């Protein structure tokens, strides 16, 4: 109706209106879109500042400890006699002590020089340094020491590299000489091993990972492949899994169907007994006995954990058996959505790509800001450092806020896109009239009308997340220094902010759904969605608790299948592979993949529930007020939810196929 008019705001003080799905479309929260646009322009200006002042080229080309940028003719820095040198021919940065790393401040604690060539061979004596400098024109000692004085200069032990000089190779993009031999970092590796405490176990675990790296890669691909199958088949697996437990709990004559649910636990106990028998009979080599001892312990832990989990799962399913039917019914409708909108499963990929691109950009700008500002000599170390003074020093904080706000905006865009596509599917009676590409149509509507709503919703999450992160940082910095009362108060504040953030995130998601339905601004959508949720509070509690539990079952199913395949594969390498770390790596990857995919499914279920609540509130099945949901699904869901109204007639046009 408003397509040919200027974009108008639905003001919060206007009279309450009924839900009118897909009947109107107008721009929402324009002031917030303007604010977000100005904020993004500020982010672009922050990126332009280090580029304009030469900090970006200084980071890429490299710079020495005296304020000289490599590959450039530099100007003099006050108080630094070795600055202002012509480094046009010196294109690489060489560190006198490349392995002297400051892990806390994340930098190399060493004098850096601009050189024309990195040493490709080991230099064992100062005479070798002299010959390298004379032959290649690349001085590896401080600029105030000429190459002819390398062998006898009194300060050669502090201003020349520590002998022997390891061969190094220039990094193509950042022009740094990096040691080829990673043995120079043995000090840090030894510290890590000492921290772990048992270097023998660590060595066996690492050896097990390296020996089974092909299996790990294959299992990760298997975990990803499980999610690439047809979504309907995957949903049917979850439904069959739930039905399996229901049959076991409600119909004892079908208990034999549960044998598959206990097979994993039984196999783990069988493998534990088999490995323990082989270990006690001394049928393995010396190395094999060490590995077998670790594997027996790991299998015992896995078997006990699987047994406890299975028992708890059965108890939970017993007490929730009546409510599981509600979730299965709603999930069945969500399965139909994925059949008609299969590209929904790809939304995590596009969101992940967008987040990765933005984070790479953000880190690059942060590194640029680290080399921006005025060069100042550090009197304690004698090297030149760059500091931003005045208002410019707060650019980093602005940049950090941008990281949180824009990241939340990208996630909100995914939620709005999914909500728009599902709303279009639900409230379109004739599915043949749906857009050819509902996902792209939803993205186009979001970009055209609702970016301001996303900016406002994501900003609210940012306002809560920033103080929570600040308090978390303060707690980590004061760990062991504050008293018990202060520590308890900090943890309580962090916990409260975390709970508030989760509640606001859930309300935001439903507000985006209301915006996709009615095209109202954020506050109006949040209020109307909140009222709908309050009217259906018990149903919301049932959907969230049971639904989350069912989705957790789906994650467990995928992780269990992957882990079970891993146990069978690693069983053929029992003589030289420690199972603990490879299985943990594979299970962690499988869980992350399952979480990404099932989070989309959870979002679809939440959108469908709000659509169903609106549908049953304003329609009763009478002529002119027919339900949008399929007749069969409406009756099943209404009976499960114990609604008072009844679906009275079978009206043509209400079928959702």
């Amino acid at each position: 109706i408003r397509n040919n008019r200027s974009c108008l705001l639905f003001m919060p003080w206007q009279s309450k209106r009924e839900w009118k799905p897909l009947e109107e479309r107008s721009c929402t929260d324009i002031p917030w879109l303007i604010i977000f646009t100005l904020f993004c322009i500020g982010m672009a200006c922050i990126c332009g500042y280090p580029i304009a002042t030469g900090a970006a080229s200084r980071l890429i080309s490299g710079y020495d400890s005296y304020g000289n940028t490599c590959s450039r003719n530099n100007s003099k820095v006050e108080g630094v006699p070795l600055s202002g040198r012509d480094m046009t021919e010196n294109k690489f940065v060489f560190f006198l002590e490349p392995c002297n790393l400051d892990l806390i401040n994340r930098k190399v604690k060493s004098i850096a020089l601009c050189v024309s060539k990195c040493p490709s061979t080991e230099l064992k004596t100062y005479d070798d340094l002299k010959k390298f400098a004379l032959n290649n024109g690349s001085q590896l000692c401080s600029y105030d020491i000429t190459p002819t004085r390398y062998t006898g200069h009194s300060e050669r032990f502090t201003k020349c590299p520590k002998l022997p000089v390891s061969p190094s190779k220039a990094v193509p993009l950042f022009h740094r000489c990096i040691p080829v031999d990673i043995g120079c970092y043995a000090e840090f590796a030894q510290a890590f091993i000492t921290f772990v405490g048992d270097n023998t176990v660590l060595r066996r675990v690492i050896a097990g990972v390296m020996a089974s790296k092909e299996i790990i890669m294959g299992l990760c691909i298997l975990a990803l492949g499980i999610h690439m199958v047809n979504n309907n088949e995957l949903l049917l697996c979850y439904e069959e899994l739930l039905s399996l437990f229901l049959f076991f709990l409600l119909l004892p004559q079908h208990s034999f169907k549960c044998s598959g649910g206990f097979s994993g636990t039984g196999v783990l106990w069988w493998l534990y007994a088999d490995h323990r028998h082989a270990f006690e009979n001394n049928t393995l080599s010396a190395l094999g006995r060490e590995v077998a001892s670790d594997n027996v312990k790991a299998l015992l832990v896995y078997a006990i954990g699987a047994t406890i989990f299975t028992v708890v799962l059965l108890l939970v399913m017993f007490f929730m058996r009546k409510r599981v039917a509600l979730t299965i019914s709603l999930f069945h409708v969500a399965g139909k959505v994925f059949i008609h909108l299969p590209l929904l499963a790809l939304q995590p990929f596009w969101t992940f790509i967008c987040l990765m691109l933005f984070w790479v950009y953000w880190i690059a700008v942060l590194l640029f800001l680290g080399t921006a500002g005025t060069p100042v000599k550090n009197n304690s170390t004698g090297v030149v450092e760059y500091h931003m003074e005045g208002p410019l020093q707060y650019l980093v904080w602005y940049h950090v806020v941008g990281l949180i706000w824009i990241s939340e905006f990208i996630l909100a865009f995914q939620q709005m896109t999914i909500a728009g596509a599902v709303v279009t599917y639900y409230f379109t009676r004739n599915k043949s009239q749906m857009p050819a590409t509902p996902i792209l149509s939803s993205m186009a509507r979001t970009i055209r009308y609702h970016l301001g709503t996303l900016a406002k919703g994501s900003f609210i999450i940012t306002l809560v997340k920033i103080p929570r992160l600040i308090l978390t940082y303060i707690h980590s910095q004061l760990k062991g220094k504050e008293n018990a009362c202060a520590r308890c108060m900090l943890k309580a504040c962090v916990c409260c902010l975390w709970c508030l953030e989760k509640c606001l995130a859930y309300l935001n998601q439903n507000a985006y759904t209301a915006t996709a339905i009615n095209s109202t601004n954020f506050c109006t959508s949040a209020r109307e969605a909140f009222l709908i949720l309050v009217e259906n509070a018990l149903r919301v509690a049932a959907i969230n608790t049971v639904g989350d539990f069912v989705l957790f079952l789906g994650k467990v199913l995928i992780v269990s299948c992957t882990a079970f395949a891993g146990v069978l594969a690693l069983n053929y390498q029992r003589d030289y592979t420690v199972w603990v770390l490879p299985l943990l790596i594979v299970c962690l990857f499988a869980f992350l993949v399952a979480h990404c995919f099932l989070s989309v499914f959870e979002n679809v279920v939440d959108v469908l529930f709000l659509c169903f609540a609106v549908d049953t509130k304003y329609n009763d099945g009478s002529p002119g007020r027919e339900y949008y949901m399929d007749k069969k699904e409406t009756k099943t869901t209404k009976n499960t939810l114990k609604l008072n109204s009844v679906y009275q007639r079978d009206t043509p046009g209400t079928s959702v196929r």
Side-chain angles (χ1 to χ4, degrees), residues 57 107 287 294 321 366 391 478 517 629:
S57 62
K107 63 181 181 180
L287 177 61
D294 297 329
R321 61 189 183 278
L366 183 65
L478 297 179
I517 297 175
M629 186 181 285

Side-chain angles (χ1 to χ4, degrees), residues 271-461:
L271 287 174
Y272 165 72
D274 183 48
H275 280 251
R276 183 178 179 181
H277 177 74
F279 177 75
E280 292 178 348
N281 290 343
N282 198 19
T283 59
L284 302 172
S285 61
L287 177 61
R289 286 187 60 81
E290 294 182 357
V291 174
S293 176
D294 297 329
N295 287 339
V296 168
K297 297 177 183 177
L299 283 172
L300 179 60
V301 173
Y302 292 153
I304 294 176
T307 303
I308 295 175
F309 177 80
T310 302
V311 173
V312 173
L313 187 62
L314 290 175
L315 292 176
V316 172
M317 290 298 300
F318 177 79
F319 291 107
M320 301 175 68
R321 61 189 183 278
K322 294 183 180 180
R323 291 186 177 181
V324 169
L326 160 65
T327 307
I328 292 178
S329 178
L330 198 57
F331 278 22
H332 185 70
V333 181
K336 288 187 176 182
V337 174
F338 275 90
I339 293 175
H340 287 84
L341 308 175
L343 293 181
L344 281 177
L346 297 180
Q347 289 305 303
F349 284 111
W350 308 128
T351 304
F352 176 76
I353 291 174
C354 292
L355 286 174
M356 289 279 66
L357 292 177
F358 171 68
W359 290 343
V360 169
Y361 160 82
W362 188 87
I363 293 174
V365 175
L366 183 65
L367 294 176
F368 292 162
L369 292 175
T371 57
T374 306
V376 179
K377 181 181 179 181
N378 189 327
N379 295 324
S380 61
T381 60
V383 301
V384 174
E385 299 176 351
Y386 294 89
H387 298 284
M388 290 186 293
E389 300 176 350
L392 295 177
Q393 61 184 328
Y394 300 106
L395 292 180
V396 176
W397 293 108
Y398 187 99
H399 196 55
V400 171
V401 174
L403 170 66
I404 301 175
W405 192 1
I406 297 178
S407 297
E408 292 295 331
F409 180 85
I410 295 173
L411 295 174
F413 187 86
Q414 172 185 289
Q415 293 178 347
M416 179 68 85
T417 301
I418 295 174
V422 176
V423 165
T424 301
Y425 168 83
Y426 188 94
F427 290 107
T428 301
R429 298 186 186 277
N430 188 356
K431 296 303 181 245
S432 61
Q433 297 179 356
M434 288 184 59
T437 55
I439 303 296
L440 296 180
S441 300
S442 177
M443 293 176 63
R445 287 197 305 270
T446 301
I447 294 173
R448 182 177 178 181
Y449 297 110
H450 305 312
L451 289 181
T453 299
L454 301 184
K456 187 173 184 177
S458 57
F459 181 75
I460 293 175
I461 300 297

Side-chain angles (χ1 to χ4, degrees), residues 48-273:
Y49 169 72
I51 296 177
T53 57
S57 62
R58 185 182 301 122
L59 177 67
I60 295 176
S61 301
Y63 57 96
D64 62 13
S65 299
Y66 309 109
N68 300 303
T69 301
C70 303
S71 305
R72 288 176 51 186
N73 189 4
N74 300 274
S75 57
K76 193 76 174 179
V77 178
E78 184 179 357
V80 183
L82 296 180
S83 61
R85 303 175 70 89
D86 185 3
M87 296 295 179
T88 306
E89 300 298 328
N90 299 339
K91 303 181 182 299
F92 305 102
V93 179
F94 175 78
F95 297 98
L96 301 188
E97 297 181 74
C99 297
N100 188 7
L101 302 178
D102 185 357
L103 298 179
I104 298 178
N105 297 317
R106 298 173 296 279
K107 63 181 181 180
V108 181
K109 293 176 59 177
S110 170
I111 295 179
L113 303 173
C114 291
V115 298
S116 59
K117 184 180 179 181
C118 300
S120 57
T121 58
E122 186 179 37
L123 305 177
K124 299 181 179 180
T125 63
Y126 290 105
D127 187 60
D128 293 338
L129 294 178
K130 174 182 175 181
K131 293 179 180 179
F132 179 81
L134 295 176
N135 294 335
N136 300 282
S138 185
Q139 300 183 27
L140 301 184
C141 293
S142 182
Y143 305 137
D144 56 347
I145 304 178
T146 60
T148 55
R149 301 173 59 192
Y150 282 179
T151 56
H153 198 277
S154 59
E155 295 181 306
R156 65 183 183 276
F157 300 107
T158 57
K159 294 187 176 182
C160 288
K162 183 179 180 181
L163 298 178
V165 179
S166 302
S168 58
K169 186 177 181 180
V171 178
L173 181 60
F174 292 99
H175 302 91
R176 266 70 170 180
C177 295
I178 304 299
V180 177
D181 184 14
I182 62 175
C184 70
Y185 301 103
E187 178 181 352
F188 300 96
Q190 184 62 38
F192 173 75
I193 293 175
T194 304
F195 174 78
V196 172
D198 187 358
N199 54 0
T200 303
V201 175
L202 177 65
R203 186 172 61 252
R204 292 203 304 269
V205 170
I206 295 177
V209 173
M210 296 304 297
S212 57
K213 57 182 180 295
E214 294 84 1
I215 296 179
I216 295 176
M217 292 297 297
L219 292 173
C220 290
I221 295 175
L222 173 64
L224 186 61
I226 294 176
H227 298 281
M228 298 305 294
V229 299
N230 183 271
N231 289 286
N232 188 45
E233 295 177 359
L234 189 59
L235 297 174
L236 289 177
C237 289
Y238 299 153
E239 186 173 341
E240 290 297 329
L241 178 65
L242 294 174
S243 301
L244 187 67
F245 283 107
L246 287 174
F247 283 143
F248 175 71
L249 295 170
L250 302 178
L251 300 175
Q253 61 269 29
H254 294 282
S255 60
F256 67 93
K257 296 184 179 180
C258 289
S259 58
F262 302 96
S263 60
T265 304
V267 169
L268 285 176
W269 282 110
W270 173 75
L271 287 174
Y272 165 72

